[in-house]
Structures are given as structure tokens and as C-alpha cells.
Amino acid sequence: AQTVTQSQPEMSVQEAETVTLSCTYDTSESNYYLFWYKQPPSRQMILVIRQEAYKQQNATENRFSVNFQKAAKSFSLKISDSQLGDTAMYFCAFRSQGGSEKLVFGKGTKLTVNP
Amino acid sequence: DAGVIQSPRHEVTEMGQEVTLRCKPISGHNSLFWYRQTMMRGLELLIYFNNNVPIDDSGMPEDRFSAKMPNASFSTLKIQPSEPRDSAVYFCASTTFVGSLSYGYTFGSGTRLTVV
């Protein structure tokens, strides 16, 4: 079974600075999808960014980018120019391309952006 | 589109009572998922449906939990009888697939269940 590990339970960053959240996963599959979700205090789960494993180019969405290292099974999220509104729980998630459609989540990283 | 709609947003009930959580997925999405979130266990998949058919219910904790999807626009998660350890936030999510391409999973706002 696939597992997703987020080794940083909590992190903090100063406003306008850059922060990187770590995620590793375990799978024997070669084709899959990876996601980062944000959960602010409102508890809404918001999709931040997604990556297809067959794509070598790292995904980017405005201030959010990933560093996808397939061989190392690593999928980190970089947030540039951090804003107070980025304060939230961040979850890394894995989904097989074939087989089960379910998302497997990590335990999450609580990010606090300080003014 | 209004997104994935869950009701109620909060539910407080007494132990032993029946609880029904509701979900309306995004129109056109053909897969629906029920997740439970707790501090101890994080986000766990309970069950998911594809084209209204239950595909994987291995995460349903015990027989007290049941889920249905009578049509493409509605699903329920029922707990009978409820216990204090069922207290959690329950999320519904939906998505669609085109061939093997997976698009983003859209989550509802969740139902916070408290069993006293």
C-alpha cells in the first residue's frame, strides 16, 4: 500500500520569505499523481498544486512550486513571498494512475506565517 | 457551480443516536469519496463510489457505518448507533476522470460531528 510521509509537523516563516515543505512517498508504481492541499482554519480543503509523475517539469502555480524528485520519491512544496493568508495546514497526497482512485494523505504540516 | 455541498455543517448528537451526513457532488463528477479527519489518524478514506457504485469500503470502521449513493447527485453517510469515538470532521469529495487523466478532487466544507 502507498504511504505518504510529511516529516515536519509544524513550520513557521516570516511574511515575504520563502518556505519549503517536505513530502516523501512510497510506491512501486511508475505512473501516479501527487497533490498539495491547503486547509486553513475554515477547514476547507483547497487544492494548491498537482503533478503528474510522467512529467519531468515541475508544476508551478503563481507563488507555489514543487520540486518533484521521482527517483527519490520526494515531492516538496515551495511557497515564495509568503503571505499571512498562507497560514494553514498543508497536506501532501498521492493517487495511483491505474487501480484505486483514492487519495492517500500525509499527516500534514502546520504552517504559520508571521508578520 | 456551487461546489461540493455537505450538510449539516455541524452536528451534535447523543451517544446511541442515528446520524446522517449528506453530500451533493459537483454536477458531472462521476467519483465520490467520504473521508474522516481526526487529530490522531489524520485524513482517512472511508468509502468511495464510481458511477454511483461502491468501489472500496475497506475504510469503513465497522458495521455501524453505512453509505449510499442512490443517484449521481446525492450521497449519505449514516452512523447507527453513534459513539463518542465517532467525533470527527467528515468530508465528502468528488472528481472526474477522462480516460486515465485525473483532475483535482474538490472537497466539501465538511461536517463536524460531536457525539456526547
Side-chain angles (χ1 to χ4, degrees):
Chain A
Q2 291 87 2
T3 58
V4 178
T5 302
Q6 294 180 249
S7 60
Q8 305 151 315
E10 294 191 38
M11 293 190 72
S12 63
V13 63
Q14 292 299 120
E15 196 174 6
E17 293 187 348
T18 295
V19 64
T20 298
L21 308 184
S22 301
C23 172
T24 58
Y25 56 93
D26 185 27
T27 184
S28 59
E29 301 177 16
S30 58
N31 295 317
Y32 46 86
Y33 302 90
L34 296 163
F35 304 83
W36 278 98
Y37 276 87
K38 169 186 177 181
Q39 187 179 39
S42 66
R43 82 169 182 243
Q44 180 72 47
M45 293 287 287
I46 302 165
L47 177 64
V48 175
I49 200 165
R50 62 190 287 267
Q51 174 83 41
E52 290 90 346
Y54 64 85
K55 291 186 176 179
Q56 292 186 338
Q57 186 173 5
N58 289 325
T60 299
E61 290 286 344
N62 301 313
R63 299 183 295 107
F64 298 88
S65 61
V66 299
N67 183 4
F68 174 47
Q69 301 288 328
K70 191 172 184 180
K73 297 180 183 176
S74 171
F75 184 60
S76 61
L77 175 69
K78 185 172 80 170
I79 306 174
S80 304
D81 185 25
S82 297
Q83 300 175 0
L84 296 179
D86 295 334
T87 293
M89 284 290 290
Y90 287 82
F91 293 94
C92 180
F94 171 100
R95 193 235 137 185
S96 300
Q97 182 171 337
S100 177
E101 302 170 7
K102 69 182 182 182
L103 283 177
V104 177
F105 286 91
K107 295 292 189 185
T109 296
K110 183 178 181 181
L111 176 67
T112 301
V113 180
N114 299 308
Chain B
D1 199 317
V4 176
I5 300 172
Q6 289 188 249
S7 64
R9 183 160 173 81
H10 304 278
E11 176 79 34
V12 179
T13 190
E14 291 185 349
M15 182 174 62
Q17 295 298 306
E18 177 180 295
V19 175
T20 299
L21 310 182
R22 297 172 175 79
C23 176
K24 176 180 169 56
I26 289 176
S27 177
H29 281 191
N30 61 354
S31 292
L32 181 142
F33 305 78
W34 282 101
Y35 280 87
R36 178 171 68 176
Q37 184 178 33
T38 60
M39 288 293 292
M40 291 295 295
R41 300 174 69 90
L43 280 153
E44 305 173 277
L45 178 71
L46 298 177
I47 185 171
Y48 83 89
F49 296 84
N50 184 265
N51 293 323
N52 312 336
V53 176
I55 302 300
D56 182 354
D57 65 355
S58 60
M60 296 287 262
E62 47 196 276
D63 292 345
R64 298 185 297 107
F65 286 69
S66 62
K68 294 182 179 180
M69 192 165 186
N71 56 63
S73 59
F74 184 65
S75 177
T76 59
L77 178 68
K78 186 177 293 186
I79 308 172
Q80 166 64 20
S82 58
E83 297 182 3
R85 59 194 170 116
D86 302 330
S87 297
V89 177
Y90 292 80
F91 285 100
C92 176
S94 70
T95 191
T96 190
F97 300 92
V98 178
S100 63
L101 288 176
S102 174
Y103 294 85
Y105 292 62
T106 303
F107 283 75
S109 299
T111 295
R112 180 176 294 281
L113 173 65
T114 304
V115 183
V116 298

